[in-house]
Amino acid sequence: MKTNNTTIELKDIFSNVLNQYNIRPDDISIIQNEGLKTLWKFTNKNQKMCLKRFRHTKEKITFSVNAQRHIYEKGGKVPNVYPNSQGEYITEYMGQLFVLYEWIEGRDLNFTRTNDFNDGIEGLGAFHSISKGYIAPEGAKISSKLGRWTEQYNSMKKRMLKWKDIALTNRINGAYKVYLECIDDIINLCDKAIMALEQSSYEKITTIDLHESSLCHQDYGSGNAILSEKGIFVIDLDGVTYDLPARDLRKIIGKRAEKRGRWDIDDINLILNHYEKTNKLTIEEKEALKIDLMFPHWFFGTIKNIFSKNKQVNPGKIAKIAKLEKEKLAVLNQWKI
């Protein structure tokens, strides 16, 4: 009964929001419903569209929606965003926020398949390249990680040292015991990355106006890249931020290494070869990527679940990710930029 009531409520919300677009939809379906975040797919005059309800603030949505409009208007492969009858791109209804998008016909890229992965990397390069030039409108909460890596690295290092003190109070705990066995090597890795960043051209290449920077997706991968007849489309731009392309590339390369349980210089070079077909990186940008790969982001992400989110993590998983982090220096040292 609860499910039926929820479905009826969602359909009522959907209809009332679309009234603000003067749209009478056909073939309505709810394709995602996770708390406040909801997606409705429908047809309007033979054109497929998607209405999205957000859990973010209006200021945050204003930044990402206008970033998407900027990319689309420059010819980038992202879904179009449609205004309501008042010419607004964000629609408010009962204190909730909605945006209407073009629905892209195609299939999700599967990043575990070689051809899909390679196509996806080329699509990411095109996305980064065409995203430059975005000036956020008034009222937007600007998201930028540009020039903040040193601050981020030091903050993460301090948190891991604080967690070490916590772990020392309960050495019997299996996860804490493994953490204590590897944390000194991890902190040493932090120090190497921080020193390398301070000695690099990072400050020079990030001391620019924000609109000169690329926009990073921050969650690019399977589910956010669609192969259509017109090429690779990037979707779900909710988390876009100003930053170096390395931010997205580091996450992709690291995720591959984590799944394989090893770092591979040939794989890194292969990824960059495909990426640079659509967006050429400078020597300084590659240097920044190498440093960002050096920092133990993956170990931090695993451990954070214990200390910040109060989740249990298998000690074996901690040991495995620590081993992966410690082994990467030898591989990164083979990378001749």
Side-chain angles (χ1 to χ4, degrees), residues 213-249:
S213 169
S214 298
L215 288 167
C216 287
H217 188 281
Q218 295 206 92
D219 190 29
Y220 188 75
S222 296
N224 291 325
I226 295 176
L227 176 62
S228 79
E229 292 180 352
K230 297 179 181 179
I232 306 301
F233 276 73
V234 181
I235 64 171
D236 288 344
L237 275 65
D238 304 354
V240 289
T241 188
Y242 293 112
D243 205 352
L244 298 177
R247 188 172 196 85
D248 283 335
L249 286 169

Side-chain angles (χ1 to χ4, degrees), residues 67-114:
Q68 185 157 336
R69 290 181 57 216
H70 161 79
I71 295 169
Y72 179 84
E73 289 166 5
K74 286 184 67 179
K77 291 183 172 60
V78 295
N80 192 10
V81 185
Y82 300 110
N84 59 29
S85 56
Q86 302 300 313
E88 301 292 334
Y89 288 89
I90 301 171
T91 298
E92 298 187 45
Y93 175 72
M94 294 182 64
Q96 298 170 0
L97 302 172
F98 302 80
V99 177
L100 182 60
Y101 298 97
E102 171 189 14
W103 180 268
I104 303 300
E105 288 290 355
R107 68 170 179 84
D108 288 346
L109 289 182
N110 183 343
F111 275 49
T112 63
R113 297 176 182 168
T114 300

Side-chain angles (χ1 to χ4, degrees), residues 153 188-198 291 294-296:
Y153 287 6
N188 183 49
L189 203 54
C190 290
D191 290 336
K192 286 181 182 296
I194 291 168
M195 182 179 297
L197 193 65
E198 290 172 345
I291 294 168
M294 186 189 304
F295 192 88

Side-chain angles (χ1 to χ4, degrees), residues 84-212:
N84 59 29
S85 56
Q86 302 300 313
E88 301 292 334
Y89 288 89
I90 301 171
T91 298
E92 298 187 45
Y93 175 72
M94 294 182 64
Q96 298 170 0
L97 302 172
F98 302 80
V99 177
L100 182 60
Y101 298 97
E102 171 189 14
W103 180 268
I104 303 300
E105 288 290 355
R107 68 170 179 84
D108 288 346
L109 289 182
N110 183 343
F111 275 49
T112 63
R113 297 176 182 168
T114 300
N115 289 341
D116 277 14
F117 181 80
N118 294 341
D119 288 343
I121 295 301
E122 291 174 26
L124 178 63
F127 174 85
H128 285 160
S129 178
I130 207 162
S131 69
K132 291 182 179 179
Y134 173 51
I135 299 175
E138 186 177 346
K141 182 180 180 181
I142 294 174
S143 176
S144 175
K145 307 296 188 298
L146 199 67
R148 295 175 56 190
W149 288 10
T150 305
E151 175 188 341
Q152 181 193 22
Y153 287 6
N154 279 303
S155 174
M156 293 163 78
K157 174 188 169 184
K158 287 177 183 176
R159 291 174 71 182
M160 286 191 282
L161 286 171
K162 182 180 178 181
W163 295 336
K164 178 182 178 181
D165 291 337
I166 293 172
L168 285 168
T169 66
N170 188 7
R171 293 171 179 267
I172 299 174
N173 180 294
Y176 286 4
K177 182 176 182 292
V178 175
Y179 183 74
L180 291 171
E181 289 170 355
C182 59
I183 188 58
D184 289 343
D185 287 334
I186 294 296
I187 293 300
N188 183 49
L189 203 54
C190 290
D191 290 336
K192 286 181 182 296
I194 291 168
M195 182 179 297
L197 193 65
E198 290 172 345
Q199 295 175 351
S200 73
S201 303
Y202 178 73
E203 184 177 356
K204 171 191 167 186
I205 62 175
T206 56
T207 307
I208 57 176
D209 291 334
L210 290 179
H211 70 271
E212 298 178 62

